[in-house]
Amino acid sequence: MGSLWGANLYQAGLPGANFYEATLLRVNLHRALLSGANFGGADLTEANLDEAVLRGATLARANIRWAYLTVAVLFQTNLHKAEANECTTWPDGFDPAAAGVIFED
C-alpha cells in the first residue's frame, strides 16, 4: 500500500497497474489508460478520472466519494461495494447502483 496523494498522472499509460489499498486522494488520472488496473480498497477521494479508460479494472471496495468519472470508460469495471456519494460523477446512462456501488447515507 502506497500513497500518490495529489499526483498528476494526466494521460498516463498504466494498464494492469496495482494500486491495491493505495491512497490516491485528489490524484489526477484524467485521460489515463488504466485497463485492467487494480484499485481494490484504494482511497480515490476527489480523484479526477474523467475520460480515463478503466476497461476491466477493479475498483471493488474503493472509496470514490467526490470522484469525477464523467466520460470514463467503465466497461467490465468491477465496482462491487465501491463507496460513492451524491457528488461522485458518472458517465451518462451509467447505473452505479446496478454495478454494486454503495452510497453513503
Side-chain angles (χ1 to χ4, degrees):
M1 173 171 56
S3 175
L4 289 172
W5 191 91
N8 184 5
L9 299 172
Y10 174 76
Q11 291 186 330
L14 300 167
N18 186 5
F19 295 107
Y20 180 76
E21 293 188 354
T23 301
L24 302 165
L25 287 96
R26 296 184 181 166
V27 70
N28 181 11
L29 289 162
H30 184 218
R31 293 188 177 177
L33 175 59
L34 302 163
S35 298
N38 181 5
F39 291 96
D43 189 348
L44 289 156
T45 302
E46 294 185 52
N48 180 357
L49 293 156
D50 275 349
E51 299 182 64
V53 177
L54 292 158
R55 177 185 295 264
T58 298
L59 280 82
R61 297 178 353 275
N63 177 354
I64 52 174
R65 292 178 183 98
W66 295 282
Y68 305 97
L69 292 153
T70 310
V71 194
V73 177
L74 299 175
F75 183 71
Q76 296 179 335
T77 301
N78 179 353
L79 289 157
H80 184 69
K81 294 189 178 180
E83 299 173 1
N85 62 7
E86 70 282 349
C87 296
T88 304
T89 63
W90 304 98
D92 286 341
F94 183 76
D95 184 353
V101 174
I102 298 169
F103 286 86
E104 66 179 19
D105 296 332

